[in-house]
Amino acid sequence: MSTVLDQTVPARAPWSAIITAGDTLTIIDLEGNQAVDCILYDAADTTLRYSAPETIAAQGNAYLGMGSVLRTADGAPLMTVTHDDCGRHDTLGGACSQESNTLRYGHHTKHQHACVENFLIEGSKWGLGKRDLVSNINWFMNVPVDPDGTLGIVDGISAPGKKVSLRAETDTLVLVSNCPQINNPCNGFNPTPVRMVVTRA
């Protein structure tokens, strides 16, 4: 196994890379309780991108974990979870934005940087814009679904050093926002760095 890439993403920052088919991306929660928002695209055709409904329907589970196949709207696999220290990851809660922060937490939060802004900044490097943003994955984020269907955002179930690994089934553009949210417990009210390691068999 050789290391192709090893980068630390600062707190609140975006990140992106194309993961070559067969390579594995490992996301490491360095200090614990840090949500990592993520969208996947087929690198050869970015109109083919991660679909939360298709992924959930195909696996019959609203959460992601070991063995989950992350699929496009037509069912094609983009990446597969091959290692998971956390147990489950959210695919329902979406990405924070300046607009949603204002609605949920008040107008005094309008200036705060958010995941949608990170996605737009990083996506622009690949020719992507607002219309290319779709429902995202929230690695390490704990969003329980109550019996009445209500979603909660609560303290994470991750810890320092926990990781999730994703094998690319096709050349996959991975777009990440190392979530800057400070108004709810998804980051323990303290955004921290994460590490991205790409390995090749």
Side-chain angles (χ1 to χ4, degrees):
M1 192 78 70
S2 61
T3 300
V4 176
L5 180 148
D6 188 341
Q7 295 179 336
T8 296
V9 184
R12 301 179 173 89
W15 178 90
S16 62
I18 292 176
I19 312 303
T20 303
D23 287 359
T24 295
L25 168 65
T26 298
I27 305 171
I28 305 169
D29 187 0
L30 292 174
E31 298 184 31
N33 208 18
Q34 175 60 41
V36 180
D37 291 39
C38 176
I39 307 177
L40 310 176
Y41 302 85
D42 186 317
D45 180 359
T46 56
T47 65
L48 305 173
R49 65 276 305 256
Y50 169 75
S51 167
E54 182 62 33
T55 298
I56 291 168
Q59 69 176 7
N61 191 331
Y63 298 107
L64 302 177
M66 183 69 179
S68 290
V69 180
L70 312 174
R71 299 179 183 275
T72 64
D74 63 1
L78 290 169
M79 304 186 93
T80 300
V81 178
T82 57
H83 179 92
D84 177 28
D85 289 336
C86 200
R88 75 178 193 194
H89 306 263
D90 169 61
T91 193
L92 298 174
C96 61
S97 67
Q98 291 177 331
E99 293 83 359
S100 66
N101 280 346
T102 302
L103 265 175
R104 291 173 177 167
Y105 310 114
H107 285 280
H108 66 284
T109 67
K110 188 175 182 181
H111 70 282
Q112 294 175 357
H113 194 61
C115 285
V116 168
E117 286 69 46
N118 270 344
F119 283 141
L120 290 172
I121 290 166
E122 197 66 19
S124 68
K125 298 176 182 178
W126 305 93
L128 302 173
K130 187 168 275 191
R131 290 185 178 184
D132 299 300
L133 300 188
V134 292
S135 296
N136 59 287
I137 301 158
N138 293 308
W139 301 113
F140 306 114
M141 189 165 152
N142 188 16
V143 182
V145 181
D146 293 337
D148 66 358
T150 302
L151 298 181
I153 298 176
V154 298
D155 281 338
I157 52 178
S158 185
K162 289 205 172 185
K163 62 186 78 169
V164 59
S165 296
L166 318 168
R167 183 185 64 235
E169 306 301 346
T170 188
D171 291 355
T172 303
L173 170 60
V174 179
L175 205 61
V176 156
S177 169
N178 192 20
C179 184
Q181 182 60 257
I182 57 172
N183 301 293
N184 70 47
C186 72
N187 299 320
F189 303 101
N190 178 38
T192 53
V194 295
R195 186 175 165 205
M196 303 291 192
V197 180
V198 179
T199 53
R200 181 167 295 159

